[in-house]
Amino acid sequence: MRLKDHVKYSIIPTAGFSFIDWFYALIFFVTAVFVDIYHVFEYFMKTRDLNIKLMFRFYESLLYEFREGYYLGISIFHTVEILLIVILAAFYTKIGQYILAGLLFHHCLDSVFLIKKRCLFKRSYSIIYYLYVSQYKRSEEFVDMQDKEREIFEGIVNKF
C-alpha cells in the first residue's frame, strides 16, 4: 500500500484519538503511517541504492512480477514476533497501547490491499520462519526469487 494511502486512511482515527489526547493521537498516526520505514533499509540492503523514487518503483515491480509464482519477502514490523513485543508493551504503558493500535490499523490496511492484489501470503509473517527459509533451507525457488529481484532492480536502474 502506498504511503499517501496510509496517510489518507489514518487521518480519521487520528482525529478521533485527538479528542482523547493529541500526543497519543500523534503516536497512533506515526505508527500507522511509518511502520513501513524499514522498506528504505531493506531496499538499501538489497540494492545498495538510496534513490527513494527507484525504491517505490522496485516494490511496485515486485508486486507485479511475483503476483503469480513463488515469492517470500519479509516485512520486519509485520511479523508475529514484533507484534508480540508491542502487545507486551501495551500491557505496561499507555504509549504501547497507541503503538499497538497504530500497528494493527496499519496491518488491517495492508491486509485489505494484499487480498485485493491476491498476494497476501507473499511475505513471511514470522522472522524465525523467514530465517529458516532464507538461511537454512535455501530452496532453489528462494535463490531464483533473489536472482529475479536483482534483475528487476537492474532493469529499473537501466531505465533511468
Side-chain angles (χ1 to χ4, degrees), residues 1-157:
M1 183 172 234
R2 296 181 307 206
L3 177 63
K4 71 179 183 176
D5 294 326
H6 279 295
V7 170
K8 178 173 69 174
Y9 293 122
S10 298
I11 288 175
I12 292 172
T14 300
F17 286 133
S18 71
F19 290 111
I20 300 168
D21 185 302
W22 269 103
F23 174 74
Y24 291 113
L26 182 62
I27 295 299
F28 170 85
F29 182 79
V30 168
T31 304
V33 173
F34 293 106
V35 164
D36 287 336
I37 194 71
Y38 68 87
H39 281 304
V40 175
F41 303 112
E42 177 188 41
Y43 175 76
F44 177 75
M45 294 303 292
K46 286 181 178 186
T47 65
R48 300 293 188 238
D49 179 68
L50 279 175
N51 185 321
I52 300 300
K53 193 174 184 179
L54 290 181
M55 179 195 75
F56 282 109
R57 286 200 176 105
F58 175 73
Y59 284 113
E60 286 176 20
S61 296
L62 289 182
L63 188 65
Y64 174 77
E65 184 68 36
F66 290 108
R67 181 175 290 171
E68 303 296 326
Y70 178 84
Y71 185 80
L72 185 66
I74 186 154
S75 300
I76 295 294
F77 294 128
H78 293 75
T79 60
V80 68
E81 293 89 351
I82 296 298
L83 185 59
L84 289 173
I85 292 168
V86 174
I87 288 170
L88 282 173
F91 277 117
Y92 297 105
T93 65
K94 190 171 182 179
I95 198 168
Q97 294 168 2
Y98 282 87
I99 291 171
L100 178 62
L103 188 64
L104 292 174
F105 186 76
H106 181 95
H107 288 329
C108 288
L109 291 176
D110 276 0
S111 294
V112 168
F113 174 78
L114 292 172
I115 288 168
K116 284 182 178 180
K117 295 290 185 181
R118 295 184 299 149
C119 57
L120 182 62
F121 297 106
K122 297 292 182 173
R123 68 166 59 146
S124 175
Y125 292 99
S126 169
I127 296 168
I128 295 166
Y129 177 74
Y130 184 81
L131 289 173
Y132 169 74
V133 170
S134 66
Q135 302 301 313
Y136 178 73
K137 187 177 175 189
R138 290 202 57 84
S139 69
E140 187 176 322
E141 286 178 313
F142 189 84
V143 173
D144 290 346
M145 175 209 72
Q146 289 181 315
D147 291 341
K148 185 66 176 173
E149 278 184 337
R150 280 191 279 290
E151 288 174 25
I152 289 169
F153 174 69
E154 290 168 5
I156 291 169
V157 169

